[in-house]
Every structure is written in structure tokens, then in C-alpha cells.
């Protein structure tokens, strides 16, 4: 949360402080209502295998900066808490199981838009195997 009760740096109000300066007239409020939970699973195509390693990121659609990032869990699930309503880009980087590198399946990155207006508990994303 940024000053001015904004969730994105580009929308924030700047505050200038000098060395050792104190501003008791400035309050930054962290809202606990109106924020959402995003939950879901990631699998692969065409085999439908559950993805158990990787990262999922929420990006700012304007400048593509990473706003939030989470690891994919062993059961293929992911979750984000306290997400503000708005537009995002979801970026998934699935990783192969490194236990057997010779037979490890590599996956293509996935990038898709997401509009958040409330809690979303059944998000499902499918990454494709890299054939090369």
C-alpha cells in the first residue's frame, strides 16, 4: 500500500522527507476490506499433469512490473491474499521435475490477462509442454 491509499506505485502521492525529518501529519492506512483472495491450480497440456514446481506472478498491465509472486505448491495449487480489484497480467513459469533431468518435460511460459472484482477460488491455468 502506498501513500494516498493506493495499491500501485504509479498512483501514489509522493512525500518528500529530508534527513532525520519526521512527518506526524502523514498517515498511511492499510485497508483490510475490499481486498480479495485468488486461488487455483496449474496443470499441463496435453497430458493433464499437475504442475508442482514454478512461480506465478501478478504483473501490472501498464508497465509489466511484478506486483506479487507466489510459488506453485506440491499439489499444483497457488494462492494470493489481499489483492486489490483491478486488471492484472498473470505470468506462469512452470519448472520441470529435476529428479530425472534427461526425461524432464520443459514448459513454455504462460501469460494471460486477469480482471479481479472479487474473490476467485477456482482459477485454472494450463501450460504447454515445450516440444523442443
Amino acid at each position: 500500500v502506498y501513500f494516498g491509499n493506493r495499491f500501485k506505485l504509479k498512483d501514489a502521492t509522493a512525500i518528500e522527507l529530508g534527513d532525520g525529518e519526521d512527518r506526524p501529519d502523514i498517515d498511511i492506512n492499510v485497508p483490510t476490506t475490499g481486498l480479495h483472495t485468488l486461488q487455483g491450480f496449474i496443470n499441463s497440456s496435453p497430458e493433464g499433469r499437475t504442475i508442482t514446481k514454478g512461480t506465478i506472478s501478478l504483473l501490472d498491465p501498464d508497465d509489466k512490473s511484478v506486483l506479487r509472486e507466489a510459488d506453485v505448491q506440491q499439489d499444483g495449487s497457488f494462492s494470493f491474499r489481499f489483492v486489490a480489484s483491478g486488471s492484472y497480467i498473470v505470468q506462469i513459469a512452470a519448472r520441470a521435475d529435476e529428479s530425472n533431468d534427461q526425461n524432464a518435460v520443459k514448459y513454455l511460459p504462460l501469460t494471460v490477462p486477469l480482471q479481479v472484482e472479487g474473490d476467485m477460488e477456482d482459477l485454472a491455468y494450463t501450460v504447454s509442454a515445450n516440444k523442443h
Side-chain angles (χ1 to χ4, degrees):
V1 176
Y2 297 97
F3 183 63
N5 297 336
R6 303 293 182 200
F7 291 99
K8 295 183 181 180
L9 181 58
K10 68 178 179 147
D11 298 331
T13 303
I15 303 170
E16 290 191 36
L17 294 174
D19 189 25
E21 185 177 356
D22 186 11
R23 295 283 308 267
D25 60 319
I26 303 289
D27 290 323
I28 297 177
N29 297 311
V30 179
T32 56
T33 59
L35 300 178
H36 311 293
T37 298
L38 308 180
Q39 296 176 323
F41 288 88
I42 302 171
N43 63 26
S44 66
S45 174
E47 67 276 356
R49 180 181 307 175
T50 298
I51 299 298
T52 61
K53 294 184 181 186
T55 57
I56 181 166
S57 304
L58 293 179
L59 308 180
D60 184 307
D62 297 325
D63 64 11
K64 310 298 186 274
S65 62
V66 176
L67 301 172
R68 304 280 298 276
E69 191 169 76
D71 289 327
V72 177
Q73 301 302 304
Q74 286 293 318
D75 65 354
S77 68
F78 65 88
S79 99
F80 293 100
R81 295 181 60 207
F82 309 115
V83 177
S85 296
S87 297
Y88 298 91
I89 294 173
V90 173
Q91 186 174 62
I92 299 170
R95 291 191 305 271
D97 179 358
E98 293 96 17
S99 62
N100 185 353
D101 200 38
Q102 288 181 337
N103 296 328
V105 177
K106 308 289 187 210
Y107 299 100
L108 297 171
L110 178 66
T111 304
V112 294
L114 177 67
Q115 184 66 37
V116 175
E117 296 176 2
D119 289 349
M120 303 173 85
E121 298 178 359
D122 58 354
L123 293 167
Y125 295 105
T126 303
V127 295
S128 298
N130 189 348
K131 305 284 188 207
H132 302 295

